[in-house]
Amino acid sequence: MIIHVNFLPKPGDTGASEVIASLAGLLDQGRLDGEVLSRLRLHLDWLQYKANFREPITVRHATGARGEPTALAELAIDVRRARPERLGDELAHAIASVGAVEHEVAGRAVLEDWAPLSRSAIWQFNRLFWQRLVDWERQTGRGFEAALPSGRSDANHPAAVADAVADFWTLLVELDKRGQLPQEIFALEIGVGPGTRAGLWLDRFKALDEARATGFYPRLRFLLADYSMPTLDRAHRAVEAHRDVVSTIATDALNPMRALSFLRYKILYVHLTNVYDNLPVDELVRRDGQLYLVETRAYLPEPASTAIAQAFGVGPSEQPATVGRLLEAGPDLFGDRERGVAFWRAVWDGVCLEERLRRLEGIADVPLPPGLDGTDLEELLTTAPADIRFHLSGGAVESFMNTVPLLHPRGYLQVQDIFVATMDEYRQGFRGPGKLDGSVVNWVNGPLLRVVGARAGYDVHFAPFRYRPGSRTTILYTTLRE
Amino acid sequence: MAGQHLTTAVVGSYSMPGWLERAKNDYLRRRITAHDLDEMHDTAVKAAIKDQEVAGIDIVSDGELRRDNMIDYFAMRLPGVEIDRTSKTSYYDFYESVVRGRMPMAPLGLVEHYRFLRRFTDHRTKVSVTGPHSLVKRIRNEHYPSEEAFAMEIARIMNLELRELVRAGAEQIQIDEPYYSGFPEDLPWGVRAVNALVENVDARLSLHVCYGNRYGKPSWEGSYRYLFPAILEARIDQVTLEFARRGSEDLRLFKEFDAPFTLGLGVIDVKTHDVETPAVVAERIREALAILPTERLSVNPDCGLLHLPREIAFAKLCAMVEGTQLVRREISG
Ligand SMILES: C[S@@+](CC[C@H](N)C(=O)[O-])C[C@H]1O[C@@H](n2cnc3c(N)ncnc32)[C@H](O)[C@@H]1O
């Protein structure tokens, strides 16, 4: 057995001793096959997102490239939530499923078929959340920001906004000096949320411009972009004072070029906060020199499924279809929107992801997002830990690749988000997916964006967000690669 | 015959195959030998020539597929330039290069690659070289008192090579100076350097000035107005400019100024994968014909096709030729 401790434990809280003791106990009692144990990989995690898609103890099977069962199996334990007194039985229960072909756990309502994580229904839930934010918030009685770990968004930190404005203004002055400042000065924020940052940024920019008498503000064209109409409406109201220089654009962050191609090479500044972490992602795993793609399927564990059946009169066997309707048509279920939203929230609260590892025969089988070259991924892997599970941040890569063509030759992209800075960091903790209110949150693979950026002609840098102590935010910014 | 006008040509580079990129990187990382890479270069060049011929291009190039980028191919050949071979692991990056003393005269060895091109095509051919202004922007100068002095020295050395090319049969030589657009204030000496470069070079000479194509994107924005009137002093036969991506507004500069050279009109946007239709190409040519007579106009893409996938590069060249033929037919009535 190989034990992976996937977090930086503080003294006394690995939880490892209880787990090992329980396993040894099972072995002694003849409830654990020595064969199984010898091939097992035990993962001890400490899940950062309290709300997530995992049960405290989970088993992952690995399959060959054609789906055939293989000997590799992983037992993953969230030591933050696993309860020592029940560990023995729960481990025995989980281990009983190791090696079983097509094992179905009784009582679960399975909501979808196996597919790579990026195609899971959880992304439909995520989209639904942003499209129907108003309904959700009416019922919860609180705004999205209240769900953030710090209770507010780093997007709106006044000092960070002031610095961002100052950098931008300096660029404009330099371009102006060289006679290269375009008549119309385009700036773009994608994934604007309530528009708070945009408002702060515009106030600040206007004030600076007026104080220095540079005359840039009237030439500014600030675009607010989001794929959620209610969000755009709300954000537009938040920047009412700047209406002469602001427009809103409905656009998917995955491909801003589609709506904005007329601005190719024209935008001087593009900003996103906490959007990359909200875009679909895949995960790759390397074990014993073999590469695997994580496949998942969403399910409701028995307690959640039973509770939903009782509360909404939708039995476990009908749950997949009802959830399908919810994801397709929104929460106007049961002829009663409030009840529909309650159902939505209950399902989201309970939903988990079952995982399996599908072996890939080589790099060419990796579902590479456009812009990521297989040889670059191979290169990244040569410097990465031999045993690793990491994000293939396909959504972020796609968004990046479809955003940079909008940049003016001297323009830059700035992204505030939770980035993993080196492949090595993947040893040190669970990086999502987690649930944040009704949305999905995930760390973003920084090294991947670095190689993708280099191919597109940008050096990608990461600076710590030094404005709030303890913040996990990092600021990605691009500079031109000469 | 009207067909003699509106000659079609490439600017220089052709689509770089992914496998060749990988091979170039493998070579840098000592995974394959120079011999293997040379063989792949030869094969890729032959394929690039064939594509241009089949598309119907009048003046073809070797696709510049042997070059890592527009600087290193020359920096590595210029005598007296020291190259730090450890300074890059990706072929498209620039080497760290420096000149620390007076540069000696010596051949660059471009003739051999020209002969290869000549042997594999019956079409007219073009050889492109990066101009002195662009080279001094990337090679560190620790010897000459000014950028201009450095550029004049490079011009003097490369002048010999251009004459060698002519002796070997080269009829069309193009000088690429994309960095003009980033440093318009350098133009007066930039043009002097070009004139030194082409002195007594008995070929048809063109000067290509664009807004950059590094990584397939522009490096600068602005108007070609900065070129005038300084460019009028250049002793060249043609300037090759980009108009497809940037629009035709700057064409009027040729109305305002009585240029002593002809125009190589960029009619293909090399920075988008959208393939122009022949009708669009024809319209772009007609717009230029409203300002310049046919005999002062030839047709080319905005810039090199390096960053486009092969099938798109090829389709764009085909569209360019068909669009040109549409206009030729209109002219010949
Ligand atoms: C987590 S919120 C961040 C809001 C704000 N930037 C902040 O940091 O406070 C994510 C925002 O991105 C938007 N969003 C998520 N996915 C998107 C996509 N694919 N296309 C466009 N907008 C998206 C959501 O509607 C929402 O406004």
Side-chain angles (χ1 to χ4, degrees):
Chain A
M1 179 170 72
I2 296 174
I3 304 178
H4 301 247
V5 180
N6 301 325
F7 63 106
L8 292 175
K10 294 186 211 67
D13 74 0
T14 61
S17 46
E18 285 94 341
V19 176
I20 310 277
S22 299
L23 283 172
L26 292 176
L27 204 55
D28 290 342
Q29 295 156 24
R31 293 165 74 194
L32 172 57
D33 182 352
E35 270 293 287
V36 170
L37 184 76
S38 72
R39 293 207 215 95
L40 202 61
R41 280 174 180 259
L42 176 64
H43 289 264
L44 301 181
D45 293 309
W46 197 92
L47 298 202
Q48 181 208 331
Y49 299 101
K50 280 212 187 81
N52 58 61
F53 300 92
R54 279 175 53 176
E55 295 192 72
I57 298 182
T58 50
V59 173
R60 304 177 193 123
H61 287 100
T63 74
R66 278 160 293 281
E68 70 279 15
T70 62
L72 174 68
E74 303 197 331
L75 186 62
I77 299 173
D78 178 11
V79 295
R80 187 184 191 182
R81 286 185 299 161
R83 274 172 300 181
E85 67 280 7
R86 305 217 343 231
L87 209 51
D89 284 343
E90 288 182 355
L91 280 176
H93 187 70
I95 283 170
S97 78
V98 174
V101 190
E102 272 313 302
H103 178 88
E104 297 294 348
V105 179
R108 284 184 178 179
V110 174
L111 300 177
E112 60 181 344
D113 287 335
W114 288 108
L117 174 62
S118 63
R119 297 216 300 270
S120 165
I122 66 169
W123 304 107
Q124 286 170 271
F125 276 102
N126 184 64
R127 175 177 262 273
L128 182 67
F129 176 71
W130 297 114
Q131 305 304 330
R132 304 299 294 261
L133 190 61
V134 179
D135 296 320
W136 180 285
E137 287 183 351
R138 194 173 41 239
Q139 201 167 90
T140 60
R142 57 170 204 175
F144 167 75
E145 288 199 5
L148 293 170
S150 65
R152 53 186 298 197
S153 170
D154 281 341
N156 312 328
H157 196 289
V161 172
D163 281 353
V165 167
D167 286 346
F168 182 60
W169 182 84
T170 307
L171 170 71
L172 300 188
V173 170
E174 277 165 18
L175 286 174
D176 203 26
K177 231 188 279 166
R178 299 184 61 92
Q180 291 176 349
L181 186 64
Q183 187 48 38
E184 291 183 299
I185 301 167
F186 284 102
L188 165 68
E189 182 178 345
I190 305 174
V192 289
T196 318
R197 181 193 169 89
L200 287 170
W201 192 97
L202 284 159
D203 291 346
R204 180 77 194 178
F205 184 79
K206 185 162 190 260
L208 182 61
D209 181 51
E210 281 169 4
R212 305 293 176 89
T214 34
F216 297 148
Y217 179 81
R219 291 161 69 180
L220 184 68
R221 305 284 172 267
F222 193 96
L223 310 171
L224 301 171
D226 206 287
Y227 73 171
S228 153
M229 291 313 289
T231 297
L232 275 181
D233 287 345
R234 192 187 289 187
H236 202 206
R237 286 194 296 277
V239 296
E240 178 59 25
H242 302 280
R243 68 171 169 274
D244 289 344
V245 300
V246 164
S247 348
T248 54
I249 313 257
T251 182
D252 195 321
L254 290 175
N255 190 0
M257 267 297 274
R258 194 173 298 146
L260 295 169
S261 61
F262 65 102
L263 291 177
R264 186 166 66 127
Y265 307 134
K266 292 216 163 48
I267 304 185
L268 280 159
Y269 173 59
V270 179
H271 177 92
L272 304 93
T273 295
N274 294 344
V275 181
Y276 280 14
D277 64 13
N278 200 225
L279 298 175
V281 62
D282 272 307
E283 289 188 71
L284 289 177
V285 173
R286 182 163 63 185
R287 303 281 179 240
D288 302 323
Q290 302 287 354
L291 208 54
Y292 298 85
L293 177 68
V294 175
E295 293 186 329
T296 65
R297 57 178 184 179
Y299 69 94
L300 291 168
E302 187 181 338
S305 175
T306 309
I308 287 168
Q310 278 162 4
F312 299 94
V314 181
S317 60
E318 303 156 51
Q319 284 168 7
T322 312
V323 170
R325 275 215 309 286
L326 165 72
L327 294 178
E328 248 160 52
D332 293 305
L333 299 166
F334 321 119
D336 173 355
R337 185 178 297 180
E338 283 310 304
R339 230 168 108 70
V341 174
F343 175 78
W344 170 17
R345 290 177 54 214
V347 172
W348 181 245
D349 202 37
V351 74
C352 288
L353 287 176
E354 193 178 346
E355 295 181 346
R356 71 177 183 194
L357 311 179
R358 179 184 281 268
R359 162 114 175 256
L360 301 172
E361 284 183 299
I363 288 280
D365 290 339
V366 176
L368 294 172
L372 177 61
D373 191 89
T375 50
D376 287 342
L377 179 60
E378 216 163 13
E379 210 57 43
L380 261 191
L381 278 167
T382 59
T383 56
D387 270 290
I388 186 173
R389 174 172 175 148
F390 67 97
H391 288 126
L392 188 65
S393 304
V397 167
E398 194 176 334
S399 177
F400 180 94
M401 287 303 292
N402 289 323
T403 302
V404 291
L406 293 170
L407 289 175
H408 180 280
R410 300 286 125 181
Y412 60 101
L413 169 71
Q414 185 192 48
V415 182
Q416 287 186 186
D417 222 312
I418 40 174
F419 289 103
V420 178
T422 65
M423 293 297 276
D424 217 46
E425 280 183 18
Y426 276 107
R427 293 178 200 267
Q428 297 167 0
F430 176 78
R431 305 279 171 175
K435 300 176 190 172
L436 213 51
D437 223 359
S439 73
V440 181
V441 61
N442 243 305
W443 286 70
V444 182
N445 189 330
L448 207 62
L449 285 167
R450 210 179 276 127
V451 297
V452 165
R455 255 183 204 270
Y458 291 93
D459 284 318
V460 168
H461 314 269
F462 297 95
F465 188 84
R466 55 188 169 75
Y467 305 94
R468 182 172 65 80
S471 167
R472 292 175 185 271
T473 301
T474 304
I475 306 177
L476 172 158
Y477 63 97
T478 60
T479 53
L480 285 177
R481 223 174 133 81
E482 302 284 353
Chain B
M1 201 176 88
Q4 281 176 327
H5 300 313
L6 301 179
T7 331
T8 56
V10 289
V11 164
S13 67
Y14 194 59
S15 168
M16 176 70 72
W19 55 263
L20 189 52
E21 292 193 285
R22 283 190 285 280
K24 283 173 185 279
N25 284 338
D26 280 348
Y27 171 69
L28 277 179
R29 293 162 201 178
R30 298 287 168 268
R31 290 179 190 152
I32 63 168
T33 63
H35 178 263
D36 282 349
L37 183 63
D38 284 345
E39 220 169 54
M40 289 187 232
H41 279 153
D42 289 352
T43 308
V45 166
K46 288 182 219 170
I49 294 170
K50 192 72 188 170
D51 269 15
Q52 296 171 74
E53 290 181 352
V54 172
I57 299 292
D58 299 318
I59 303 175
V60 305
S61 76
D62 72 353
E64 298 178 10
L65 295 172
R66 301 175 195 279
R67 307 182 184 184
D68 277 6
N69 53 57
M70 62 173 298
I71 301 296
D72 289 354
Y73 181 76
F74 297 95
M76 290 167 72
R77 287 175 163 73
L78 278 166
V81 177
E82 293 170 38
I83 302 273
D84 175 359
R85 301 266 168 179
T86 63
S87 58
K88 74 173 183 184
T89 52
S90 176
Y91 82 96
Y92 190 58
D93 286 345
F94 295 128
Y95 275 124
E96 296 285 327
S97 55
V98 59
V99 167
R100 294 207 168 90
R102 186 176 149 79
M103 298 168 76
M105 301 292 279
L108 275 69
L110 307 185
V111 172
E112 177 203 348
H113 291 163
Y114 169 69
R115 289 213 174 98
F116 186 93
L117 166 65
R118 187 69 282 170
R119 199 171 316 132
F120 284 94
T121 185
D122 296 329
H123 284 227
R124 282 185 277 163
T125 57
K126 165 150 102 178
V127 180
S128 304
V129 298
T130 300
H133 177 264
S134 297
L135 289 171
V136 305
K137 291 296 172 189
R138 298 282 353 162
I139 302 173
R140 206 164 72 240
N141 165 28
E142 292 185 359
H143 176 74
Y144 295 95
S146 65
E147 282 189 312
E148 175 173 2
F150 186 23
M152 293 306 276
E153 185 81 322
I154 290 177
R156 190 174 60 86
I157 295 167
M158 287 180 65
N159 171 262
L160 276 193
E161 190 72 16
L162 298 196
R163 293 193 208 185
E164 278 305 310
L165 281 169
V166 172
R167 240 194 302 280
E171 333 140 276
Q172 305 249 354
I173 296 176
Q174 176 180 294
I175 297 114
D176 296 334
E177 287 288 26
Y179 281 66
Y180 280 180
S181 298
F183 305 87
E185 63 280 9
D186 296 347
L187 198 61
W189 65 258
V191 169
R192 283 198 288 279
V194 163
N195 286 344
L197 174 65
V198 300
E199 199 170 304
N200 293 325
V201 174
D202 187 16
R204 191 170 156 73
L205 299 164
S206 60
L207 176 64
H208 172 60
V209 183
C210 63
Y211 277 82
N213 194 25
R214 189 90 179 127
Y215 294 98
K217 59 193 180 66
S219 304
W220 300 284
E221 281 295 2
S223 153
Y224 278 130
R225 181 160 291 277
Y226 82 88
L227 286 175
F228 293 84
I231 197 78
L232 303 174
E233 302 299 318
R235 288 197 283 278
I236 44 153
D237 302 299
Q238 183 191 56
V239 291
T240 307
L241 303 178
E242 58 170 311
F243 288 100
R245 179 180 72 83
R246 307 178 59 255
S248 57
E249 205 175 305
D250 286 345
L251 274 174
R252 66 173 161 207
L253 292 163
F254 284 82
K255 201 181 231 168
E256 252 176 73
F257 296 91
D258 192 11
F261 37 70
T262 66
L263 174 64
L265 179 76
V267 296
I268 294 291
D269 183 348
V270 300
K271 295 183 173 66
T272 163
H273 290 193
D274 300 337
V275 178
E276 287 83 354
T277 59
V280 163
V281 170
E283 194 45 42
R284 287 175 179 164
I285 299 173
R286 286 186 209 109
E287 271 186 75
L289 282 173
I291 289 172
L292 287 167
T294 29
E295 59 275 16
R296 305 216 27 224
L297 213 56
S298 52
V299 177
N300 43 261
D302 274 357
C303 196
L305 304 170
L306 176 72
H307 299 286
L308 292 172
R310 193 211 70 91
E311 64 280 9
I312 290 179
F314 181 65
K316 281 185 179 249
L317 288 186
C318 292
M320 183 175 96
V321 170
E322 282 174 46
T324 305
Q325 280 162 351
L326 284 176
V327 181
R328 283 180 187 157
R329 279 199 291 274
E330 287 165 12
I331 294 169
S332 61

